[in-house]
């Protein structure tokens, strides 16, 4: 017997399957293209927080999810015997001017309470980061200890193997059975838009590159709007482009070469590092720009989990939890801004 069928084996579908399974449900994940075939099969994997100020539901939800991630991925990897590449290695960001420095110092104070004394946001002299310092016009960097990294493709493989090890089923096709969760990424947003008759969300293409450079314990960098993420396997990911208009969802082009050049300029250590993979995928962006979670607007016994956009991996542990609360206990712990109807035209 199947209690919950989850359509979509991306990080949203898999994390909901895992949460339901660990609460004793029989789950089946169905994806005609396989595990991590969509935007979750990528290479970047920055689990980076919003700035610690102007707190709201979205930031609080993301903080909880990032805080629980270390234990979450340790459990998943212990069951699967694989590595998600998770590590709370922190992040460095250059401070570009005097106003930025002032703001960074204010945020260091607000982080003390908003991050509940568990993690820090500090301003440090760039020289303290040695060779690993990005270029900084002020000579200062922000160092935070909440940011983590994991390898998206490896994390999906680990989660899928853990689901199967615990008795969950993953198929490329199967009949609907039990409650249905539609976690079909940007295709699902397009289909839902057609059903309700106006754009409820869309896809935003991203291109990223993987470099051969072993800095596995070093903090990730955020500079010139780029994520530079050292992975546990001796590679460094660089991302990403953000394209609302695109013809080919999975091809790379000159826009990626520009990203690579900008990353090497912001961070000269990588000048000689060889590019070993170029990758593109399409992020699911809900109209509200927040995750879209809850009952399906037109289909009975069906739920939607979508809209991960640029931070789907960071949100996934907590999204699994609130969706399992809704599906299995009927308890709605979803923040109002994340509800499906938050995307309806007002
Ligand atoms: C370049 C790039 C860089 C990114 N960097 C980061 C980052 O650093 N940190 C971060 O947190 N996030 C990042 N993201 C965003 C993150 O990848 C997404 O938020 C996340 O993958 C969304 O997961 P999902 O499961 O909703 O969608 P997807 O991974 O797209 O999964 C949807 C799945 O549904 C399947 N499907 C489609 N139609 C059907 C159907 N009819 N039936 C069944 N299955 C179907 C597809 O095959 C696919 O496997 C990045 C994304 C990109 C593209």
């Amino acid at each position: 017997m199947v209690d919950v069928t989850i359509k979509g084996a991306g990080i949203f579908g898999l994390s909901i399957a895992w949460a339901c399974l660990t609460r004793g449900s029989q789950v089946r994940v169905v994806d005609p293209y396989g595990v991590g075939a969509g935007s979750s099969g990528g290479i970047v994997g920055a689990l980076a927080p919003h700035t610690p100020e102007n707190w709201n539901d979205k930031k609080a939800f993301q903080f909880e999810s990032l805080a629980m991630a270390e234990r979450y991925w340790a459990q998943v990897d212990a069951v699967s015997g694989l590595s998600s590449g998770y590590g709370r290695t922190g992040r460095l960001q250059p401070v570009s001017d005097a106003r930025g420095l002032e703001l960074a110092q204010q945020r260091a104070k607000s982080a003390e309470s908003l991050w509940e004394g568990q993690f820090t946001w500090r301003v440090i002299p760039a020289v303290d980061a040695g060779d690993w310092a990005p270029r900084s016009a002020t000579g200062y960097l922000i160092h935070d200890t909440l940011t983590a990294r994991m390898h998206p493709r490896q994390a999906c493989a680990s989660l899928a193997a853990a689901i199967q090890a615990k008795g969950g089923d993953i198929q490329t096709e199967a009949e609907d059975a039990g409650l249905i969760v539609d976690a079909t990424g940007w295709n699902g947003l397009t289909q839902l838009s057609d059903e309700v008759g106006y754009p409820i969300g869309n896809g935003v293409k991203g291109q990223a590159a993987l470099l051969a450079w072993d800095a596995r314990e070093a903090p990730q960098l955020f500079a010139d709007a780029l994520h530079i993420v050292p992975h546990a396997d001796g590679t460094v990911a660089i991302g990403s482009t953000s394209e609302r208009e695109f013809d080919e969802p999975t091809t790379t082009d000159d826009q990626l070469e520009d990203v690579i050049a900008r990353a090497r300029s912001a961070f000269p250590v990588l000048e000689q590092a060889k590019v070993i993979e170029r990758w593109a995928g399409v992020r699911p962006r809900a109209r509200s720009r927040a995750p879209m979670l809850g009952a399906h607007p037109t289909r009975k016994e069906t739920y939607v989990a979508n809209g991960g956009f640029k931070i789907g991996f960071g949100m996934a542990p907590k999204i699994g939890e609130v969706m399992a609360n809704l599906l299995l206990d009927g308890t709605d712990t979803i923040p109002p801004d994340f509800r499906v109807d938050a995307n309806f035209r007002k």
Side-chain angles (χ1 to χ4, degrees), residues 23-337:
R23 292 193 196 185
S25 295
Q26 286 295 324
V27 303
R28 175 180 289 152
V29 181
V30 183
D31 192 320
Y33 310 100
V35 170
S39 64
S40 302
I43 51 181
V44 183
L47 307 180
H50 290 289
T51 49
E53 63 185 359
N54 303 328
W55 219 229
N56 57 29
D57 278 356
K58 186 175 175 182
K59 289 187 178 186
F61 187 100
Q62 193 212 23
F63 172 74
E64 281 179 46
S65 195
L66 293 176
M68 70 198 270
E70 193 161 2
R71 219 168 132 229
Y72 181 90
W73 288 108
Q75 277 171 351
V76 168
D77 290 353
V79 175
S80 70
L82 300 176
S83 170
S84 57
Y86 182 88
R88 202 184 293 283
T89 43
R91 175 181 57 172
L92 297 171
Q93 302 177 73
V95 182
S96 55
D97 55 27
R99 173 70 188 133
L101 197 54
E102 196 185 321
L103 265 178
Q105 270 148 354
Q106 284 167 15
R107 289 167 179 164
K109 285 217 160 38
S110 50
E112 286 172 19
S113 56
L114 295 173
W115 290 358
E116 301 171 2
Q118 297 181 61
F119 310 99
T120 57
W121 170 292
R122 288 189 309 129
V123 177
I124 61 166
V127 289
D128 288 5
D131 281 355
W132 198 247
R135 286 190 211 281
S136 168
T138 57
Y140 286 97
L141 306 173
I142 298 159
H143 178 229
D144 84 74
T145 59
L146 171 56
T147 299
R149 52 97 168 118
M150 29 75 58
H151 192 300
R153 192 177 297 155
Q154 293 168 11
C156 285
S158 181
L159 197 42
I163 288 167
Q164 286 169 317
K166 279 228 175 234
D169 188 23
I170 302 182
Q171 300 290 341
T172 51
E173 54 178 279
E175 294 289 316
D176 288 358
L179 298 173
I180 309 295
V181 179
D182 187 316
T184 54
W186 78 288
N187 288 332
L189 289 177
T190 308
Q191 196 183 21
L192 199 50
S193 298
D194 290 345
E195 275 183 45
V196 299
Y198 61 91
I200 201 168
N202 61 292
V204 178
K205 182 176 171 179
Q207 303 182 37
L210 201 61
L211 275 56
W213 191 263
D214 195 342
R216 59 190 73 199
E217 297 306 326
Q220 65 188 259
L221 310 167
F222 186 68
D224 189 17
L226 299 175
H227 293 281
I228 299 172
V229 182
H231 283 303
D233 63 0
T235 59
V236 171
I238 295 176
S240 324
T241 65
S242 193
E243 306 161 45
R244 289 192 72 156
E245 305 292 327
F246 56 89
D247 297 321
E248 297 292 338
T250 57
T251 56
T252 61
D253 57 33
D254 284 352
Q255 296 177 78
L256 179 57
E257 302 316 306
D258 178 56
V259 163
I260 296 168
R262 278 167 46 215
R264 292 196 205 270
S265 156
F267 194 52
V269 166
L270 294 178
E271 253 158 30
Q272 303 307 322
K274 189 167 173 254
V275 178
I276 52 173
E277 183 178 346
R278 291 173 171 81
W279 180 86
V282 181
R283 309 169 180 98
R285 175 190 178 277
R287 188 163 173 260
S288 66
R289 299 171 65 95
M292 183 196 280
L293 309 173
H296 193 286
T298 62
R299 292 184 225 153
K300 283 202 175 125
E301 311 235 298
T302 303
Y303 297 80
V304 177
N306 213 320
F309 197 28
K310 296 188 174 178
I311 55 172
F313 279 87
M315 296 289 219
K318 185 79 184 161
I319 281 174
E321 183 182 292
V322 298
M323 286 302 290
N325 290 344
L326 185 64
L327 291 158
L328 308 183
D329 309 334
T331 314
D332 188 347
T333 47
I334 297 167
D337 290 351

